[in-house]
Amino acid sequence: MKKALFLILIASNSIFAQEHFSGLNTSSQVGIMTATLNPAELVNMKHKFQINVFSGSINVSNNKIGFSDLTSNKNLESLIFTGSDPVNLRADAEFYLPSIAMKYKKFAFAIIPKGNAKLDVVDVDTHLGDAITNAAANSIFGSATTVNNNYNQRVNGTTWGEIGFTGAMNIVNNATHKINIGTTLKMLFPGSYANLGLDKFQGTIVTNSITGQAELRNTTANLNIAYSGGLTNSFTNFNDYTKSVFGGLNGFSGDIGVNYQWKDLPESNPKKNSNKYKLNVGMSIKNIGSMTFKDDNNSSKNYLLQIQGTQSLNLNQFQNVNSLPQIETILLNSGYLIEQNKEKNFKVKLPTTFNLYADVKLIPKFFISGLIQQKINNNSSNDQITAQNIISITPRFDTGFFEVFAPFNNTQISGFSSGIGFRVGGFYLGSGSIITALINDSKQGDIYTGYRFSFL
């Protein structure tokens, strides 16, 4: 367990981040990446065809470790469990396989295959995490700490693939206004899954004065252990996330959206500038749906953890544990688990979000956009893939062939960040947090890149 938690910590500082394709996804140069935010935008493409050759984005945010801590002499394993606020971390990556979009009159269509990998740490108690990870190295012999939480602590890893079929249609288009609607239907291919949930934990952590090891006493909690596919063996090994992204077809989800434009059409030649606007507003709901994990090694069990009287659980046993079956075996052998129910196959909900954005033309070639992302589901549920609340403001300079943007973001977990990105023709590269990561003590960061081309 110590190795597992430390690898999670290292991941959170290797690639800081929050919103995927920050700054690019609200660009006036509409394409496949814009349609992943709002499918209704697809009909705003300036060309009849677009091919997205490749795209990739890696994001991580946490609420404990800053960029300056990486260059200090501080003990990172101890630092992540300082303070009283629970530990939260979100790390996820998404990559797009070659995708194609086409526009025909008032309609637009796209086929967008994509892979996803996520690692989440949700509301882990600092006292409990420190006791497991550091084996009471920071405690005073004989001391006791009482933990009483009314929420669910989770460590969760998920990989899945999807193929999205997007359709968009223009329903209003006059000299001043344009309104589009769109939807994306996604076929889901669950790859692998691991979840450790510890709900309503109440217990006492004691450092044994003789052995110097941390022990749990007088403890009750509801425990969920679920796993499937490659993450059964280890949920901290990067290779286990990449080798089993696409499984079999076992779920569906959808996006819906609407888009409005207040046109900017000079009377001299309105057709030439038919895709330019003074204001572009969009609203979408993404990832409505779920997927079912089915595998030979599938397991999802709910237990009651109960340690009473003079009983105690030696937390040092979890020091070198890397997989959920190992954790489950140790706890079962201890005799402190009471099985409540179990499932062979289990369903997992996607991270549904509500998105609202606006892009305003201030002067020719200079725009500013704002984006709000609001999660809809509860991240503490054991069957839920997590999402974050995000607010983003992005000024942008756009000549058509060249574009540069500087997003300013505020995320639910790690707070404020700012970055920069650019697009030259079809190539784009950016980060929503590189500036604050370099000049400030940022707790997040990201990087994304890709290439696309349009024709006709």
Side-chain angles (χ1 to χ4, degrees):
M1 178 66 75
K2 180 177 181 179
K3 181 180 178 183
L5 289 174
F6 185 65
L7 288 175
I8 291 170
L9 168 64
I10 293 300
S12 70
N13 291 279
S14 301
I15 37 175
F16 294 78
Q18 69 292 325
E19 177 197 350
H20 286 294
F21 302 99
S22 181
L24 181 74
N25 54 9
T26 53
S27 168
S28 58
Q29 305 300 317
V30 174
I32 290 173
M33 289 297 99
T34 320
T36 62
L37 174 64
N38 183 357
E41 287 275 8
L42 195 65
V43 79
N44 291 328
M45 288 194 309
K46 296 183 178 180
H47 298 272
K48 291 183 178 180
F49 294 93
Q50 183 178 104
I51 295 178
N52 193 70
V53 180
F54 70 92
S55 295
S57 175
I58 303 176
N59 295 340
V60 176
S61 60
N62 81 100
N63 66 333
K64 293 290 182 176
I65 306 297
F67 184 80
S68 64
D69 295 319
L70 297 178
T71 57
S72 70
N73 294 323
K74 298 177 182 178
N75 185 335
L76 297 183
E77 290 183 73
S78 300
L79 189 60
I80 195 170
F81 296 115
T82 58
S84 58
D85 292 336
V87 178
N88 278 280
L89 180 149
R90 306 291 186 271
D92 64 287
E94 55 182 49
F95 59 91
Y96 290 83
L97 301 176
S99 312
I100 185 169
M102 63 170 291
K103 183 173 71 171
Y104 177 73
K105 296 183 178 179
K106 294 184 176 183
F107 301 92
F109 307 93
I111 301 175
I112 310 173
K114 173 187 172 187
N116 304 270
K118 285 180 64 67
L119 172 63
D120 298 318
V121 177
V122 183
D123 292 334
V124 172
D125 184 90
T126 54
H127 299 295
L128 185 59
D130 182 59
I132 295 174
T133 305
N134 297 307
N138 299 324
S139 302
I140 301 174
F141 285 165
S143 64
T145 301
T146 299
V147 178
N148 188 350
N149 297 323
N150 61 358
Y151 53 82
N152 190 23
Q153 306 175 57
R154 299 179 63 204
V155 179
N156 177 274
T158 315
T159 68
W160 77 98
E162 58 187 56
I163 300 178
F165 299 90
T166 299
M169 179 176 66
N170 172 246
I171 57 174
V172 174
N173 192 3
N174 55 41
T176 308
H177 307 290
K178 183 179 182 181
I179 299 176
N180 309 317
I181 57 174
T183 185
T184 298
L185 175 65
K186 303 174 188 177
M187 299 190 304
L188 304 179
F189 302 84
S192 54
Y193 184 80
N195 184 78
L196 177 63
L198 198 61
D199 189 26
K200 294 180 175 59
F201 180 91
Q202 298 181 15
T204 302
I205 304 169
V206 176
T207 305
N208 191 301
S209 59
I210 298 175
T211 65
Q213 296 176 341
E215 297 177 349
L216 270 185
R217 298 179 184 175
N218 301 318
T219 299
T220 60
N222 298 315
L223 178 66
N224 173 261
I225 298 179
Y227 45 82
S228 177
L231 294 182
T232 299
N233 299 320
S234 171
F235 56 88
T236 60
N237 189 335
F238 179 76
N239 291 332
D240 291 324
Y241 284 85
T242 57
K243 71 182 181 183
S244 57
V245 174
F246 278 85
L249 174 61
N250 249 314
F252 296 91
S253 70
D255 304 343
I256 56 174
V258 61
N259 167 245
Y260 165 77
Q261 286 188 359
W262 178 19
K263 292 184 178 181
D264 184 16
L265 301 178
E267 294 181 0
S268 57
N269 193 349
K271 292 185 178 181
K272 181 179 179 181
N273 296 282
S274 59
N275 286 299
K276 292 190 175 181
Y277 55 79
K278 298 177 182 178
L279 173 67
N280 185 61
V281 179
M283 180 178 66
S284 66
I285 301 177
K286 294 178 55 180
N287 296 320
I288 308 166
S290 61
M291 54 190 170
T292 301
F293 282 86
K294 296 182 178 181
D295 195 81
D296 292 338
N297 64 353
N298 258 30
S299 177
S300 178
K301 296 179 181 179
N302 291 310
Y303 296 100
L304 174 64
L305 173 64
Q306 196 168 66
I307 306 172
Q308 299 176 323
T310 59
Q311 297 173 334
S312 64
L313 176 65
N314 182 2
L315 295 179
N316 196 58
Q317 298 176 83
F318 302 102
Q319 290 285 292
N320 297 312
V321 169
N322 297 314
S323 72
L324 293 186
Q326 287 177 299
I327 295 173
E328 189 174 23
T329 299
I330 291 173
L331 292 173
L332 285 171
N333 290 339
S334 73
Y336 301 144
L337 286 186
I338 303 172
E339 185 176 305
Q340 304 292 297
N341 54 69
K342 62 181 179 180
E343 295 178 291
K344 176 65 175 177
N345 302 320
F346 51 90
K347 184 178 293 185
V348 175
K349 299 176 184 176
L350 263 63
T352 309
T353 60
F354 170 80
N355 306 274
L356 179 65
Y357 62 91
D359 190 38
V360 182
K361 177 182 177 182
L362 300 180
I363 57 175
K365 298 182 175 58
F366 188 78
F367 299 77
I368 187 167
S369 62
L371 167 69
I372 296 174
Q373 174 181 293
Q374 174 68 45
K375 65 182 181 183
I376 293 178
N377 298 331
N378 187 352
N379 286 340
S380 65
S381 299
N382 285 314
D383 61 351
Q384 177 66 55
I385 302 174
T386 69
Q388 283 198 73
N389 296 332
I390 299 170
I391 298 176
S392 179
I393 297 176
T394 305
R396 186 177 72 256
F397 177 76
D398 182 7
T399 67
F401 181 78
F402 173 76
E403 185 176 11
V404 61
F405 33 84
F408 296 85
N409 307 291
N410 189 75
T411 64
Q412 181 181 1
I413 292 176
S414 50
F416 175 77
S417 69
S418 64
I420 193 167
F422 69 90
R423 178 188 56 80
V424 179
F427 175 77
Y428 45 90
L429 174 67
S431 168
S433 54
I434 186 63
I435 293 178
T436 45
L438 293 176
I439 66 174
N440 198 1
D441 194 21
S442 175
K443 294 182 176 65
Q444 62 183 25
D446 66 313
I447 186 169
Y448 63 82
T449 187
Y451 177 75
R452 67 192 185 193
F453 63 92
S454 304
F455 54 98
L456 298 182

